[in-house]
Amino acid sequence: MSMLEIRNLSKSFGSLEVLKDISFDVKKGEVVAVIGPSGSGKSTLLRCINQLEHADSGVIKVCGTDMLIKNSSGKTVYADKKTLREIRLKTGLVFQNFNLFPHMTVKRNITEAPVCVLKKDKAEASARADELLKKMGLETKGGSYPCELSGGQQQRVSIARALALSPEVLFFDEPTSALDPELTGEILKVIKELAKEGMTMVIVTHEMAFARDVADKVIFMEGGYIVESGAPEQLFGENASDRVKQFLQRFNS
């Protein structure tokens, strides 16, 4: 079953075409890593899927529900507001810069959306937050504020906050890029555990070893296009295109 279907997706900012005819699928339980040089459109792709940017054309289907379609006259249109909200609740996005609410405690950062958006009972949301904090190794940090945590701890709180809404697909936008190298490992470990649990994930990353070891499929983007996609052994092996090999040399040198 496909959890995400993208067909011929395009997006421009003025005269700058950022996404050009993007098409790919993500199956249930699949981990897809999106790699490529800066400015290739990777983050914009995630933002379009998560309704933070409006695509210009194409088709997006999330968990079997049409989000963006071509109508009978060939015009690209979005689903109605109710459907878009339902889709939004099926996805979670972890940003590279954490985006935690600085005036809220760690625990409230995690419980706020379940209580206010999903209308969950506060006690139920609190119990779920405790469970997630323990999963992230942060069981003693519920009463702390984001400024009192390390970057790695803040990112783990961000992941817990996304998981609190029980998304069916989880997106990561370069989740380790704002971290010191010594803190990167703890975030990658959390994501690896989620992969083992069968979470469907799309991860924009510059961690090539992580993409090779964890992803079921790797997508290489450049200049707004998908240049190559396939299994990790293909893109990280001898059969990769010359452009992918050239890109990967930066990380192997």
Side-chain angles (χ1 to χ4, degrees), residues 67-208:
M67 178 178 128
L68 181 69
I69 62 169
K70 280 189 176 181
N71 63 16
S72 56
S73 61
K75 183 180 178 182
T76 298
V77 295
Y78 275 84
D80 59 81
K81 288 184 178 180
K82 180 176 180 292
T83 300
L84 291 178
R85 181 181 183 277
E86 291 171 353
I87 290 173
R88 194 177 293 117
L89 292 176
K90 293 179 180 179
T91 64
L93 175 60
V94 178
F95 298 90
Q96 55 183 298
N97 292 316
F98 323 137
N99 283 18
L100 297 173
F101 298 115
H103 62 291
M104 295 183 183
T105 64
V106 163
K107 190 167 183 178
R108 190 177 168 197
N109 262 281
I110 298 171
T111 60
E112 188 74 2
V115 171
C116 297
V117 178
L118 297 184
K119 307 302 180 185
K120 284 194 174 183
D121 176 77
K122 287 185 178 181
E124 180 186 355
S126 178
R128 175 61 173 158
D130 288 340
E131 177 186 319
L132 288 169
L133 284 171
K134 184 175 182 180
K135 184 184 184 77
M136 298 295 150
L138 298 171
E139 53 265 53
T140 64
K141 300 296 185 181
S144 300
Y145 286 86
C147 64
E148 299 173 318
L149 305 181
S150 70
Q153 289 172 330
Q154 289 186 60
Q155 191 61 296
R156 279 182 278 161
V157 174
S158 297
I159 296 171
R161 181 177 62 179
L163 291 173
L165 292 171
S166 301
E168 294 186 41
V169 187
L170 192 55
F171 298 87
F172 292 85
D173 187 6
E174 298 184 18
T176 62
S177 66
L179 303 177
D180 294 332
E182 60 200 41
L183 299 176
T184 294
E186 62 189 54
I187 301 305
L188 299 182
K189 181 181 177 182
V190 168
I191 298 174
K192 285 180 180 179
E193 287 300 317
L194 292 173
K196 288 180 182 177
E197 294 169 8
M199 172 64 73
T200 306
M201 293 184 283
V202 179
I203 307 166
V204 169
T205 183
H206 288 298
E207 298 290 335
M208 296 301 112

